[in-house]
Amino acid sequence: MRASIPAPWPRRRLAHAAIPCLLPSLDHRSEGNTANTFWIKDGIRLNDNIHAEQDLQSIKKNASSGQLLQSLLWNRHDLPSLEHGRLCRHHDGFTLTGTVVASLEGRTLHCSYEVETTSSWETRKVRITLSSGTEEQSLHLERDDDGRWWNGDTELTAFAGMTDIDLGITPSTNTLPIRRLQLEPGESAAMTAVWIRFPSLTVAPLPQRYTRTGGFAYRYESNHGSYQADLEVDEHGLVTTYADIWSRTR
């Protein structure tokens, strides 16, 4: 371990008032709102208390007050796909939101998602809306304080005790274990994530391992090492480069 490796997410004071975080509406007309174009780089410690509690319908109707930490675009290189993602801070948790337009398995897709976490980056709620042509499907999962997962009134017992969600259509959810685990350079940790596959929206457990290989670099492994990818992240733990699959355009 080299002492010269920088520690990510340093705490800095903003020289100006925090810019409100307005969660992007599923109505495309909201994209013209200038609040959607702000870019804030104010590193925060891993244990900062931030929160979001929004229902998917309220996203379509109202803006949620909070602090926008990052607004970005991801470009995917192995298939046509572009994503606008956002990370917001609230009083006792995080919110990750994104809109993905992609061609997957011969289908043109539009996907909107929202992931709510606790202040320690444990997943609380996941909401996904996926449309292709005239077809639309959605998925809404919740994780309670006892670590049990629910789809409406149905308990998903196979996922009891799991903490992280992994959305296969985006690199955004890699941020959750990266921030939650707080690994030091050279350290590694294994977990099993609740993995949502696209475009089927089927849910399965996925064994994963994260190894911090540098100040802002990680190695991701799944299925006990059968898949590996090197990741680079920013000061918020958001992916800037994901192997040769995703990269950030802004």
Side-chain angles (χ1 to χ4, degrees), residues 219-230:
R219 173 158 293 178
Y220 165 77
E221 302 172 65
S222 63
N223 281 326
H224 308 291
S226 63
Y227 177 83
Q228 298 184 7
D230 290 323

Side-chain angles (χ1 to χ4, degrees), residues 135-146:
E135 298 179 4
E136 182 171 303
Q137 53 185 321
S138 61
L139 180 66
H140 181 187
L141 303 180
E142 295 193 30
R143 177 181 173 273
D144 64 24
D145 292 338
D146 296 320

Side-chain angles (χ1 to χ4, degrees), residues 15 28 42 46 56 94 105 111 144 155-156 182 189 227 233 239:
H28 293 295
D42 64 329
L46 300 182
L56 185 58
F94 289 103
E105 297 183 3
C111 174
D144 64 24
E155 182 179 358
L156 306 179
Q182 305 185 48
Y227 177 83
V233 302
V239 168

Side-chain angles (χ1 to χ4, degrees), residues 1-53:
M1 184 186 308
R2 294 186 300 172
S4 61
I5 294 177
W9 315 298
R11 187 176 185 86
R12 302 183 216 142
R13 291 185 176 274
L14 288 173
H16 49 78
I19 297 174
C21 174
L22 303 180
L23 295 179
S25 171
L26 299 183
D27 180 352
H28 293 295
R29 290 174 296 178
S30 67
E31 294 296 321
N33 190 321
T34 56
N36 283 345
T37 64
F38 282 108
W39 184 290
I40 305 175
K41 295 184 178 180
D42 64 329
I44 48 175
R45 294 189 307 182
L46 300 182
N47 60 353
D48 278 355
N49 290 329
I50 49 188
H51 170 67
E53 242 178 25

Side-chain angles (χ1 to χ4, degrees), residues 48-53 65-67 89-94 119 124:
D48 278 355
N49 290 329
I50 49 188
H51 170 67
E53 242 178 25
S65 298
Q67 184 183 3
R89 176 173 84 177
H90 296 259
H91 70 277
D92 66 351
F94 289 103
S119 60
R124 275 182 176 149

Side-chain angles (χ1 to χ4, degrees), residues 4-156:
S4 61
I5 294 177
W9 315 298
R11 187 176 185 86
R12 302 183 216 142
R13 291 185 176 274
L14 288 173
H16 49 78
I19 297 174
C21 174
L22 303 180
L23 295 179
S25 171
L26 299 183
D27 180 352
H28 293 295
R29 290 174 296 178
S30 67
E31 294 296 321
N33 190 321
T34 56
N36 283 345
T37 64
F38 282 108
W39 184 290
I40 305 175
K41 295 184 178 180
D42 64 329
I44 48 175
R45 294 189 307 182
L46 300 182
N47 60 353
D48 278 355
N49 290 329
I50 49 188
H51 170 67
E53 242 178 25
Q54 286 278 324
D55 188 272
L56 185 58
Q57 294 304 315
S58 69
I59 301 175
K60 300 169 72 174
K61 297 177 182 178
N62 303 300
S64 173
S65 298
Q67 184 183 3
L68 174 64
L69 301 178
Q70 191 66 286
S71 175
L72 51 87
L73 291 175
W74 278 299
N75 185 35
R76 188 164 177 174
H77 304 293
D78 61 334
L79 54 83
S81 176
L82 187 66
E83 175 177 356
H84 175 212
R86 292 158 63 88
L87 172 65
C88 293
R89 176 173 84 177
H90 296 259
H91 70 277
D92 66 351
F94 289 103
T95 306
L96 279 171
T97 59
T99 301
V100 183
V101 180
S103 177
L104 189 61
E105 297 183 3
R107 300 167 57 187
T108 301
L109 305 176
H110 179 280
C111 174
S112 296
Y113 67 84
E114 179 185 26
V115 178
E116 297 180 12
T117 80
T118 66
S119 60
S120 56
W121 295 88
E122 297 177 338
T123 300
R124 275 182 176 149
K125 297 180 182 180
V126 182
R127 303 177 185 89
I128 302 168
T129 300
L130 184 68
S131 61
S132 177
T134 59
E135 298 179 4
E136 182 171 303
Q137 53 185 321
S138 61
L139 180 66
H140 181 187
L141 303 180
E142 295 193 30
R143 177 181 173 273
D144 64 24
D145 292 338
D146 296 320
R148 297 180 299 175
W149 289 81
W150 300 83
N151 182 4
D153 294 329
T154 303
E155 182 179 358
L156 306 179

